[in-house]
Amino acid sequence: MNNVYLTYAAKRLGQAAVVILLAYVFTFVVVSILPGDPITSVLRNPQNGFSEEEIAEIIAAQGLDKPVIVQLWNALSGFLTGDLGMSMRSNRPVATLISEVLPSTLILAAAGLAVALVLAMAVAYGTRFVPKRFGQGLLRGFPSLFLSVPNFVIGLVLIHVFGFQLGLFRVINPDSAWATFFAAVALGIPVSAQIAEVLIANLDKEAEQEYAAVARSRGIGQMRLFVRHLLKPASLPVVTVVALTIGELLGGSLITETVFGRTGVGSLVQRSVSTQDLPVLQAIVSLGAVVFVLVNLIADLLYPLLDPRVKLLGATKRRPTTADDSALGTTTAVHP
């Protein structure tokens, strides 16, 4: 690991920290500082039944009686130390509420990503090596089909077929292994579409390269050619796509949890929206931004390690020229 890469990694870490800071400040401004003070407006809603004394106590506990700069500093300091404030409804720490449901959502999201990757690679492999008479052209249409079907529709079909008809899992036990697997399938199918499309396009490109022709001339098998020669260079853009689909994966997991009746961040968001528990919503949005930025940072750091041909532009004054470069700096390396 040379000094150029270390410099590049340090710059990306600094950029990620700045983006996370700005994301939290923006969320704080939207929730707490805009005219109307959403938290105070919720407390003074006659339907909530708070007395003036109770409202004053809650406002003092939330720090809303202090200057805006002090509120932002206290909130940001607490966020950096893991103190996300108190729930307005349950009067429990927001960090505790999130920690109780976060493992379920992470398990579902990780399983959904695994399903998406396996499915995308299977479809991509089939488009290269399945004979045309056995449906190679049909496989190329699968990503469009997967993308066109919402995950909640897939979830309802899976529940009806495998839950009610075949009895592989009980709907009243949504955290069982089989229920989690089918929830991951419902979540992973739409996500796999984008990954498969990028992988198929790059496999087609890599298969035309000279090294692939040389490997085929030596009589190498199709599976070995796919795994050892085509998959790694073709998967480089997939790293960026996977990082960019993390937001879709997390958003889809909230819907999938509702469909399958799982207790996770989705159910917490649903309760918080219905009860207007703004501290919880602010914490979840901020943590979502942190996860998205960190995943894209990991993709940034992995990209040059996967292929030594990649040039590090973060350590030079040259401007990136790739079309994938985003405002967050998620794609920062290109082939020479």
Side-chain angles (χ1 to χ4, degrees), residues 250-290:
L250 293 176
S253 66
L254 306 185
I255 300 174
T256 305
E257 286 174 352
T258 302
V259 172
F260 281 82
R262 297 173 60 90
T263 301
V265 175
S267 59
L268 180 60
V269 169
Q270 187 179 25
R271 292 197 306 269
S272 301
V273 170
S274 61
T275 60
Q276 297 180 312
D277 198 345
L278 297 180
V280 177
L281 292 176
Q282 178 180 345
I284 292 175
V285 171
S286 300
L287 290 177
V290 170

Side-chain angles (χ1 to χ4, degrees), residues 2-336:
N2 54 33
N3 292 332
V4 175
Y5 180 80
L6 292 177
T7 302
Y8 164 80
K11 288 186 176 181
R12 288 294 166 260
L13 285 171
Q15 291 174 354
V18 172
V19 171
I20 291 174
L21 177 63
L22 292 177
Y24 184 82
V25 171
F26 176 77
T27 304
F28 181 87
V29 169
V30 170
V31 174
S32 304
I33 302 181
L34 288 180
D37 188 358
I39 293 181
T40 304
S41 299
V42 171
L43 294 177
R44 295 190 183 281
N45 188 337
Q47 295 180 351
N48 293 325
F50 290 112
S51 65
E52 287 299 324
E53 292 76 11
E54 292 173 332
I55 292 176
E57 292 178 2
I58 295 175
I59 289 177
Q62 297 287 345
L64 299 178
D65 55 344
K66 299 178 181 179
V68 170
I69 297 299
V70 176
Q71 292 183 41
L72 177 59
W73 174 255
N74 291 338
L76 184 59
S77 301
F79 179 75
L80 295 177
T81 58
D83 182 7
L84 303 179
M86 300 292 291
S87 168
M88 293 175 58
R89 292 298 175 180
S90 63
N91 199 30
R92 297 177 62 197
V94 175
T96 301
L97 295 176
I98 295 177
S99 64
E100 291 175 350
V101 298
L102 185 60
S104 176
T105 298
L106 292 180
I107 291 173
L108 177 59
L113 179 60
V115 169
L117 291 175
V118 171
L119 188 57
M121 285 191 291
V123 172
Y125 177 84
T127 59
R128 290 301 314 166
F129 300 111
V130 170
K132 292 183 178 180
R133 64 179 181 273
F134 292 140
Q136 184 187 85
L138 182 63
L139 286 173
R140 290 183 177 271
F142 274 24
S144 298
L145 175 63
F146 293 162
L147 194 59
S148 64
V149 183
N151 61 348
F152 71 88
V153 174
I154 300 174
L156 292 175
V157 172
L158 293 175
I159 291 174
H160 177 74
V161 174
F162 295 98
F164 293 120
Q165 298 296 326
L166 300 180
L168 291 182
F169 68 93
R170 302 177 64 185
V171 180
I172 60 175
N173 187 18
D175 294 323
S176 65
W178 275 113
T180 301
F181 170 75
F182 286 112
V185 171
L187 177 62
I189 287 178
V191 176
S192 69
Q194 302 176 49
I195 301 174
E197 287 179 345
V198 173
L199 188 55
I200 290 170
N202 284 276
L203 281 174
D204 291 342
K205 178 182 177 181
E206 295 297 330
E208 297 175 355
Q209 301 300 316
E210 184 177 351
Y211 73 87
V214 172
R216 282 192 293 266
S217 67
R218 293 178 178 176
I220 190 172
Q222 292 182 350
M223 179 61 73
R224 188 177 180 186
L225 173 65
F226 177 76
V227 174
R228 296 193 59 182
H229 297 278
L230 298 180
L231 184 59
K232 183 176 179 180
S235 63
L236 289 177
V238 175
V239 174
T240 302
V241 174
V242 170
L244 294 176
T245 56
I246 290 298
E248 179 183 347
L249 194 68
L250 293 176
S253 66
L254 306 185
I255 300 174
T256 305
E257 286 174 352
T258 302
V259 172
F260 281 82
R262 297 173 60 90
T263 301
V265 175
S267 59
L268 180 60
V269 169
Q270 187 179 25
R271 292 197 306 269
S272 301
V273 170
S274 61
T275 60
Q276 297 180 312
D277 198 345
L278 297 180
V280 177
L281 292 176
Q282 178 180 345
I284 292 175
V285 171
S286 300
L287 290 177
V290 170
V291 171
F292 186 80
V293 171
L294 290 180
V295 169
N296 281 275
L297 172 63
I298 293 172
D300 260 354
L301 299 181
L302 283 179
Y303 215 93
L305 296 178
L306 292 175
D307 192 345
R309 299 175 298 173
V310 171
K311 290 181 179 180
L312 298 179
L313 300 183
T316 69
K317 294 184 179 180
R318 289 174 54 195
R319 292 184 59 189
T321 57
T322 59
D324 293 329
D325 195 13
S326 65
L328 296 179
T330 54
T331 304
T332 53
V334 296
H335 289 285

